[in-house]
Amino acid sequence: MADIFTPQSRTIQELFDGGSYFQVPSYQRPYSWDNEQVDDLWEDIYTAFDNDEEEYFIGSIILTKNGDNKYLDVVDGQQRLTTLMILFCVLRDLYYSKHRDITKKNRIEGRIKNLENGYERLKLRTQTQNQNQFEQEILNGINFEKFQSQKDVKDNKFLNTALKFREKISPLLGDEE
């Protein structure tokens, strides 16, 4: 009898590399993280990085195959996956756009979208509005000039998370807020 459930340990790089594509099915709730959850994830990741920890458990992510579709359905962990994707987009738009290191820029771009076939690594099928908003305002480039503060994006959880990450990353880059 084949295993119904096969746990695998993956790094974030392995999760967002190669041929892995994820979709949040329509039955999942929309992205809902607030500042507190974003702060907690950032603190965990940054502390692990600062302490030079080789491994950090980001939480379980449960994926299922969806027929012949190239995307895996995210059964659990969609809030974390979406938040990590927003973090990649913030890094792309804050750091790599300024520093022009094409190798590093391509590495982070490859976590967002496959550079060969153009497939996005994460699709949100929770509501059409969410997918469109996510693609236009996050995946296709974050317009930090347009949205200066979290008050500007009070009802947009994606942009709120992006601004929260900008607030965390800018001082590390020596940028003024």
Side-chain angles (χ1 to χ4, degrees), residues 37-122:
Q37 291 94 355
V38 175
D39 284 340
D40 288 346
L41 181 66
W42 173 262
E43 279 304 311
D44 289 347
I45 292 171
Y46 189 77
T47 299
F49 170 77
D50 202 35
N51 292 335
D52 203 24
E53 294 177 22
E54 288 189 32
E55 293 186 13
Y56 165 72
F57 181 67
I58 200 160
S60 59
I61 296 172
I62 300 174
L63 308 167
T64 62
K65 290 184 180 178
N66 185 354
D68 292 334
N69 191 340
K70 68 181 170 283
Y71 286 90
L72 297 169
D73 281 353
V74 181
V75 176
D76 186 42
Q78 70 114 336
Q79 302 290 318
R80 278 172 279 138
L81 280 176
T82 304
T83 304
L84 288 170
M85 183 62 68
I86 294 169
L87 174 59
F88 296 151
C89 291
V90 170
L91 287 169
R92 172 199 63 202
D93 297 341
L94 262 187
Y95 181 74
Y96 294 111
S97 63
K98 289 182 181 179
H99 293 86
R100 309 256 189 262
D101 183 330
I102 196 71
T103 303
K104 289 180 182 177
K105 184 176 182 182
N106 283 345
R107 192 177 316 146
I108 200 76
E109 279 282 348
R111 303 300 185 270
I112 298 166
K113 184 184 286 193
N114 184 298
L115 297 176
E116 292 177 17
N117 60 28
Y119 293 141
E120 283 134 0
R121 299 265 179 219
L122 179 64

Side-chain angles (χ1 to χ4, degrees), residues 149-174:
S149 73
Q150 290 179 326
K151 290 178 186 174
D152 295 338
V153 297
K154 64 179 178 171
D155 295 326
N156 187 323
K157 298 290 186 183
F158 304 124
L159 286 173
N160 184 67
T161 297
L163 290 176
K164 192 68 178 167
F165 279 135
R166 179 185 71 176
E167 176 185 299
K168 304 275 187 198
I169 294 169
S170 289
L172 298 174
L173 300 175

